[in-house]
Amino acid sequence: MQPYIVEDQYADPVPIIDAWAAFLAARFSRRKDLYASFSGHEKEIVRKELRRISFLRDYFSGHRLSQSDRITLLESLQRAHTTWRERASRRCKEDLPRIEIEIARSAGARRQQHNRNRLILKQVQQWPTQQYTNLQRSVAPDSYIEGLYLEEDSIDDDHTVSNYGYNGWLIQFEKGKGGVDLKHPLCHGKFPHQKIAVQKLLYDKDQTPLRRTQDRTKLRYFHLQANNMKWVEDAISRYYGEDDSQFDAHRGLHQRKLYQPGAKKSESNTEKLLKRELWHGQERGGGNSHLSPHSRQIRPRCALIPSPPVKQGNTPSQGCVESSSAVYHHSSSQPQDIVLFMPYLHWEIEKRLVRMTNVIRKTRLENEEEFAYERLSKRKGTWGSVVDRARARAQRMNSTTSEFGEWDEGSPSWRPQSPLGSYLWQAAKLYQLIDEAADWRLITNHLYSPSPLHPRRTLEQYYYWTADDTTQRDRQQVVYRATQMRSDPEAIPRVVMVDQLWLWILDENTILSAFPRRWGRNKPDPSAVHRAIRDHLGTIDHTQISSVYDLAFIIIDECSKVFFDRTKPDLRPEVVDMFSSAISSISEKKTEAYERFGRDVKRMNTHDPLQTTEEVLRKSLNIKFEWSVLMEAQNLIDQLQIMQEIFTQQITVMGDFEKALRAMSSESQGSSDLKSALGRAATLIEDMKLRRDELANLEKRQANTRSQLRELLDMKQQQSGIIEAKAAIRRADESVVQGRSIVVFTVVTIFFLPLSFFATFFGMNAQELNEGYMRLSTQLIYMFVLSSIVICASLALAFNTWTRTAVFAAFRAIFAQIANAANKVGGKPSRQTATQLSSASPRALREFMIEKQKELEIKEQENGIALASGALPLHRNNGTGPQGGRRPSRASTIAKMWRWKSV
């Protein structure tokens, strides 16, 4: 029986970079010949990866997707596979005749497609036969690879260690030749895609290629795929050939009181390079373990550190200084190391972000629970219970089901029902577990270690770094809303992330970098930053890399331009275009809001202001739409400002990098490599400024829209004031109408109140009135005549101003006459007149007194009494003047003048 001979129509866009990728991309029937063509080292790599897959399959053999599943995921996958194969083989008998008819009817490309489908159906028709089963066994890897499942200590990794499944990348350049392959037994792949297991890179002290070298003709670049402080410390220790150094995040705080100059311990080269002010001391939040894990970040910085001398050997020689264990060579221009920390923008698929967040949250809860229990046990002194609990926890972690229960998100809401759909769905779930296993174990074991892991963070987690949960803010991102597209079921929502580049330039020939990969991407990732760096280094000419600083600029530039490189055909979001589209959409909504407002104003103006309907008023006063657009605009501006801040930090770091290069150039008397590096640094800074300016222009456009929305809200507020004034007028008119109704009821009351009173009064059988013998006509005459008089008087007082004025004037005159009569009897002026005189001006008083004096003189002359010339009646000596010892008061004088007037 022949193997599968149908050619694939799908072309993988990811190019093959090593022997293992080529082995996976090949058909099962061709893998035997391909494996035979590999070199001995490539065969070792293939065997190692096949053993890793076998280990992971066994590792997940007891895993269930949810607690309600009765069988494991692996068993369910096998059942689905068997069911699908049986159904497909049965349907072949029906589909083959139909395909033959289609071939006879069609022509050209369509006929070729039907011929291909016929070949596939003939292959499927042979599945149930024993011959096909034997063919499957013959193409299995263990049939042609001897000793496949025998572990080899030289290449296999320890699967019990947390870093199992992680690889480190390495690239080597030779001056004058360009990129070259690093010939090393632990490395596999070719330039620029060579990699090595993290376990071998960091912990194989004898064979690791990371050791320090004096060869200045080669430039080496090593990369770690996570911001793990423990990995960096071990990598620097391997570089200097030292034992693993112990770093304490708070050591610098509690040792200040114990500091003794004479007893100071000598620091290793690793501790000097990773000293507190350039390592743990730069952690945001002071490395507080009670803050959220996403708050961890090294503050942006670039610093210059003197490089320690290079070991030459144990024999003293010329130009060397003897030491107790080694001899160090001192050159005339001692090289200096550079350390750099810089944030940059990246992205992640929203579903993968949710799974990463769940793992981090559960790990944090377990750590807090364990910390609280141990603290309580320490207080009680029951250390035995702590040990027992730790052992029980270790046993639970050894259980596959309980350990990888972290992926248990409850019973899935949807599962495919067709045999093929169920098989593919369960295969995808198993693939997801295997793909994310390395990242899950890394978080579990390093998230709360003394030198912790710095996980990836979203744009909002980077800015609101003290917030515990930013899920709602993350889903308000412009990129997330632009890629969600609910109308498209195949849309992949994505989220903007903020990663961080850690970079060390050591001895002018070695670079060590660390930044995270995307969650669960334990395979070639076309959109990975390091993949972009490798592709760039693989295409440039050897003349473009003359020093280690040129290599560093390429790394920094690729990290900085993730969203500004539009040449990458991958799933990365076009962030600038998405923000431009969002700004255009918000501007359109703003225009629509203005048009709505204009229509409402026109509608209100066409109606009588006092007769505008309540519906129009409510609609014109509703600001829900405008407020939602304003919040959307503000959210977009906030995101643009955060991204601008990131680029500002990048520019600041690059400015410090340029200053460090200038300082080194002045010390080395203008080296050509440093001069070239300074020129590239200036160019890179300008590129970063252009990227920031592009974001600033977007923010400026959106700021104008936001200002217009605020003006619209202000106009609506003013319009609401006008509407309120109109409503007040309408309410006043309604009050007038209601007042008229009250007047009507009052008039009716005026008419009927006296009638009812007199009817009641005359209805009394009292002898004092009529002795009970008054006729009805007489009573009616009394009733209507008297009621008419009362009604007319009441209506006149209520509705006639002249009548009210006359009545009030008559009452005032009556009361005035009564008051005058009382004053004449008592001999005292009225209080009202005295008050009027007391409030008169001095000039009026003088004129009044002169007039009264003339009247008094005439009256006295008539009576034969003469006054002293020029003497006023106020100055007469009547016993109360100056001769009497007391000057008369103004009130008494006025009272006397009033009595004289009365006389």
Side-chain angles (χ1 to χ4, degrees):
M1 180 179 178
Q2 294 181 353
Y4 189 82
I5 58 175
V6 182
E7 295 294 335
D8 294 332
Q9 291 184 334
Y10 172 76
D12 193 350
V14 181
I16 297 174
I17 60 177
D18 54 15
W20 172 240
F23 186 82
L24 288 180
R27 282 281 177 184
F28 274 90
S29 58
R30 300 176 182 177
R31 287 183 178 180
K32 181 178 180 180
D33 297 336
L34 181 63
Y35 179 79
S37 64
F38 288 158
S39 63
H41 181 64
E42 291 175 341
K43 291 180 178 179
E44 290 180 354
I45 297 302
V46 172
R47 291 199 300 269
K48 170 188 173 182
E49 294 298 327
L50 289 174
R51 284 192 290 268
R52 184 181 66 86
I53 293 176
S54 177
F55 163 74
L56 290 176
R57 286 179 63 89
D58 295 338
Y59 200 73
F60 291 105
S61 60
H63 177 74
R64 292 177 173 83
L65 285 180
S66 64
Q67 299 295 336
S68 60
D69 290 345
R70 297 181 179 179
I71 60 177
T72 62
L73 174 60
L74 202 57
E75 293 174 352
S76 179
L77 177 63
Q78 293 173 353
R79 289 186 182 183
H81 184 215
T82 303
T83 303
W84 167 64
R85 289 170 61 88
E86 292 176 353
R87 182 178 180 181
S89 62
R90 288 196 305 267
R91 294 189 59 180
C92 283
K93 298 178 181 180
E94 303 174 1
D95 294 339
L96 276 173
R98 181 176 56 81
I99 289 294
E100 295 291 347
I101 297 174
E102 294 292 338
I103 292 174
R105 294 178 178 177
S106 59
R110 188 173 180 82
R111 187 169 187 174
Q112 293 179 1
Q113 180 66 30
H114 289 318
N115 285 326
R116 183 177 183 275
N117 294 338
R118 181 176 60 179
L119 291 175
I120 295 175
L121 289 175
K122 287 184 177 181
Q123 294 285 339
V124 174
Q125 193 176 16
Q126 300 174 0
W127 280 356
T129 62
Q130 183 64 33
Q131 187 179 5
Y132 187 81
T133 304
N134 296 334
L135 177 62
Q136 282 185 309
R137 294 177 181 175
S138 64
V139 297
D142 54 355
S143 64
Y144 55 86
I145 299 179
E146 298 180 359
L148 175 60
Y149 298 111
L150 297 178
E151 294 187 2
E152 302 179 24
D153 295 337
S154 59
I155 62 173
D156 285 321
D157 300 333
D158 185 4
H159 56 76
T160 62
V161 183
S162 61
N163 52 32
Y164 179 74
Y166 262 92
N167 292 317
W169 295 91
L170 52 93
I171 301 174
Q172 181 171 272
F173 280 86
E174 188 171 350
K175 293 184 178 180
K177 295 183 179 180
V180 295
D181 295 336
L182 179 62
K183 304 298 182 180
H184 196 278
L186 299 180
C187 303
H188 58 280
K190 297 182 179 180
F191 174 86
H193 304 292
Q194 285 190 284
K195 56 185 177 181
I196 181 176
V198 169
Q199 291 187 14
K200 303 299 181 182
L201 179 66
L202 301 183
Y203 304 106
D204 193 338
K205 299 181 180 180
D206 298 329
Q207 300 187 37
T208 177
L210 188 56
R211 289 179 297 180
R212 193 177 190 182
T213 178
Q214 302 181 44
D215 189 359
R216 296 294 186 266
T217 62
K218 294 181 180 179
L219 306 177
R220 305 181 304 163
Y221 171 37
F222 299 91
H223 172 65
L224 302 175
Q225 299 186 89
N227 287 131
N228 190 358
M229 302 182 76
K230 176 62 177 174
W231 284 4
V232 172
E233 294 168 1
D234 295 337
I236 301 298
S237 299
R238 293 294 82 76
Y239 179 79
Y240 289 116
E242 301 171 343
D243 295 333
D244 296 341
S245 301
Q246 298 296 327
F247 293 86
D248 188 357
H250 304 285
R251 182 179 56 182
L253 297 179
H254 65 72
Q255 280 193 351
R256 291 179 180 177
K257 297 181 180 180
L258 303 178
Y259 175 74
Q260 296 179 2
K264 184 177 180 180
K265 180 182 177 181
S266 60
E267 294 180 334
S268 63
N269 294 332
T270 304
E271 293 174 339
K272 291 178 181 178
L273 183 64
L274 300 178
K275 52 188 177 181
R276 177 174 175 78
E277 56 268 25
L278 292 176
W279 193 227
H280 283 285
Q282 289 298 313
E283 282 188 279
R284 188 167 60 179
N288 189 353
S289 60
H290 298 289
L291 293 174
S292 301
H294 65 255
S295 65
R296 299 173 187 170
Q297 186 183 13
I298 303 294
R299 292 182 178 88
R301 187 174 182 182
C302 180
L304 195 63
I305 306 173
S307 179
V310 182
K311 293 183 180 180
Q312 293 289 342
N314 295 330
T315 304
S317 59
Q318 188 177 1
C320 300
V321 179
E322 184 176 359
S323 179
S324 60
S325 59
V327 178
Y328 296 88
H329 175 74
H330 291 274
S331 60
S332 58
S333 59
Q334 186 67 28
Q336 292 183 327
D337 300 335
I338 294 178
V339 56
L340 181 145
F341 305 109
M342 185 190 77
Y344 66 93
L345 297 172
H346 206 248
W347 66 279
E348 184 58 274
I349 294 176
E350 189 264 343
K351 290 184 178 179
R352 293 179 179 269
L353 174 63
V354 170
R355 293 197 293 271
M356 182 187 73
T357 304
N358 290 338
V359 174
I360 292 175
R361 183 183 296 114
K362 293 179 180 180
T363 304
R364 182 183 181 185
L365 292 176
E366 291 178 359
N367 180 78
E368 292 176 353
E369 178 186 357
E370 184 175 358
F371 176 76
Y373 184 83
E374 291 181 358
R375 183 175 58 181
L376 180 62
S377 300
K378 288 179 181 179
R379 292 179 180 178
K380 295 181 178 180
T382 57
W383 278 102
S385 61
V386 176
V387 175
D388 294 339
R389 185 174 181 275
R391 290 176 179 175
R393 182 178 180 82
Q395 293 177 359
R396 290 197 305 270
M397 293 301 292
N398 290 332
S399 173
T400 305
T401 304
S402 63
E403 179 179 1
F404 283 91
E406 300 296 341
W407 277 275
D408 185 9
E409 302 175 0
S411 180
S413 59
W414 175 86
R415 292 191 182 190
Q417 300 300 323
S418 64
L420 178 59
S422 178
Y423 171 59
L424 294 178
W425 184 79
Q426 295 184 44
K429 289 295 182 181
L430 181 59
Y431 169 77
Q432 175 183 318
L433 291 177
I434 295 176
D435 197 29
E436 298 178 357
D439 294 334
W440 183 90
R441 299 176 68 177
L442 182 68
I443 288 178
T444 304
N445 291 276
H446 290 276
L447 190 63
Y448 287 98
S449 63
S451 295
L453 170 73
H454 289 205
R456 304 186 71 195
R457 61 202 67 83
T458 64
L459 191 68
E460 283 69 22
Q461 288 175 342
Y462 166 80
Y463 189 73
Y464 305 101
W465 57 280
T466 56
D468 288 336
D469 187 10
T470 60
T471 304
Q472 295 299 327
R473 292 191 180 102
D474 295 336
R475 293 180 178 177
Q476 293 298 321
Q477 282 192 11
V478 173
V479 174
Y480 176 84
R481 299 175 66 178
T483 55
Q484 188 179 17
M485 290 187 298
R486 298 179 180 178
S487 59
D488 185 5
E490 297 182 359
I492 303 176
R494 282 151 282 179
V495 180
V496 177
M497 308 291 290
V498 180
D499 295 331
Q500 195 170 29
L501 168 65
W502 298 352
L503 188 140
W504 288 265
I505 300 178
L506 307 174
D507 296 332
E508 298 181 352
N509 68 336
T510 303
I511 289 183
L512 174 65
S513 71
F515 51 82
R517 67 184 184 188
R518 289 171 52 208
W519 175 261
R521 297 297 300 186
N522 195 16
K523 57 183 178 296
D525 183 9
S527 61
V529 176
H530 196 265
R531 176 59 185 266
I533 294 173
R534 299 198 306 270
D535 292 341
H536 189 176
L537 294 177
T539 56
I540 62 176
D541 186 67
H542 65 88
T543 58
Q544 299 182 23
I545 304 295
S546 59
S547 66
V548 71
Y549 307 109
D550 297 333
L551 185 58
F553 291 142
I554 293 177
I555 297 171
I556 297 173
D557 185 44
E558 290 294 338
C559 291
S560 176
K561 68 178 184 180
V562 171
F563 291 145
F564 293 86
D565 187 3
R566 297 175 175 84
T567 61
K568 298 293 189 300
D570 50 31
L571 292 176
R572 74 179 63 189
E574 298 293 341
V575 173
V576 177
D577 295 341
M578 289 179 180
F579 272 89
S580 299
S581 177
I583 291 173
S584 177
S585 177
I586 293 174
S587 299
E588 183 179 356
K589 292 179 181 178
K590 179 261 300 180
T591 304
E592 181 181 355
Y594 268 89
E595 292 176 352
R596 285 185 179 184
F597 181 71
R599 288 195 299 267
D600 294 339
V601 172
K602 184 177 180 181
R603 187 180 306 173
M604 286 185 291
N605 290 334
T606 55
H607 292 79
D608 187 356
L610 301 180
Q611 297 179 356
T612 306
T613 61
E614 291 292 336
E615 182 180 357
V616 176
L617 295 179
R618 293 194 191 99
K619 187 175 181 181
S620 61
L621 293 177
N622 188 5
I623 62 172
K624 180 180 179 181
F625 180 76
E626 291 80 2
W627 179 255
S628 63
V629 177
L630 179 61
M631 290 301 297
E632 187 176 353
Q634 184 62 46
N635 185 32
L636 190 147
I637 290 176
D638 292 342
Q639 296 178 35
L640 288 174
Q641 289 177 347
I642 295 173
M643 290 192 289
Q644 289 181 67
E645 177 63 23
I646 292 173
F647 278 99
T648 300
Q649 293 179 2
Q650 292 180 5
I651 295 171
T652 303
V653 171
M654 279 303 304
D656 295 339
F657 194 2
E658 185 180 19
K659 293 179 183 178
L661 292 177
R662 292 186 184 278
M664 296 171 60
S665 177
S666 61
E667 293 179 0
S668 60
Q669 297 179 356
S671 173
S672 60
D673 292 341
L674 290 176
K675 289 183 179 179
S676 175
L678 286 171
R680 298 194 64 172
T683 303
L684 183 55
I685 291 175
E686 291 299 324
D687 293 340
M688 290 180 175
K689 290 181 178 179
L690 291 176
R691 295 161 193 162
R692 184 183 63 179
D693 293 341
E694 188 171 356
L695 296 176
N697 292 333
L698 293 175
E699 181 194 356
K700 185 177 179 180
R701 288 172 51 193
Q702 189 62 21
N704 295 333
T705 303
R706 180 184 60 180
S707 300
Q708 293 173 359
L709 287 170
R710 288 179 176 176
E711 291 175 359
L712 177 60
L713 290 176
D714 293 339
M715 287 189 293
K716 276 214 165 188
Q717 185 178 6
Q718 296 174 3
Q719 182 66 21
S720 66
I722 297 174
I723 293 173
E724 289 294 335
K726 292 180 179 180
I729 295 173
R730 184 174 57 186
R731 286 193 294 269
D733 294 341
E734 292 176 355
S735 300
V736 171
V737 175
Q738 293 176 358
R740 291 175 180 175
S741 301
I742 294 173
V743 168
V744 172
F745 285 109
T746 304
V747 170
V748 172
T749 304
I750 291 173
F751 274 97
F752 285 94
L753 181 61
L755 290 174
S756 61
F757 171 75
F758 286 110
T760 305
F761 182 78
F762 287 106
M764 297 173 62
N765 294 322
Q767 294 180 357
E768 290 80 3
L769 293 177
N770 51 16
E771 297 181 356
Y773 297 104
M774 184 178 289
R775 295 173 62 88
L776 179 60
S777 59
T778 305
Q779 291 183 0
L780 291 176
I781 291 173
Y782 278 113
M783 288 173 56
F784 284 104
V785 170
L786 295 178
S787 297
S788 299
I789 295 172
V790 174
I791 289 170
C792 292
S794 299
L795 292 176
L797 290 174
F799 299 104
N800 194 302
T801 307
W802 184 86
T803 305
R804 287 196 300 269
T805 304
V807 170
F808 293 153
F811 275 104
R812 283 197 296 269
I814 293 171
F815 285 121
Q817 292 296 330
I818 296 172
N820 291 334
N823 291 331
K824 289 179 179 180
V825 174
K828 296 181 179 180
S830 64
R831 181 178 300 176
Q832 182 177 3
T833 307
T835 303
Q836 293 177 356
L837 292 174
S838 63
S839 61
S841 62
R843 182 177 180 180
L845 290 175
R846 182 173 181 81
E847 292 177 354
F848 174 75
M849 288 187 291
I850 293 174
E851 182 181 356
K852 294 301 177 181
Q853 182 181 6
K854 291 179 180 180
E855 293 178 357
L856 185 58
E857 289 177 353
I858 294 172
K859 189 174 183 179
E860 289 181 351
Q861 288 177 2
E862 293 176 355
N863 297 330
I865 302 174
L867 293 174
S869 61
L872 292 176
L874 297 178
H875 297 165
R876 285 187 176 183
N877 187 9
N878 55 0
T880 59
Q883 291 80 1
R886 183 172 60 89
R887 184 181 182 88
S889 62
R890 183 178 183 183
S892 62
T893 303
I894 293 172
K896 293 177 181 178
M897 292 173 60
W898 179 255
R899 287 196 300 269
W900 292 332
K901 179 181 180 182
S902 300
V903 174

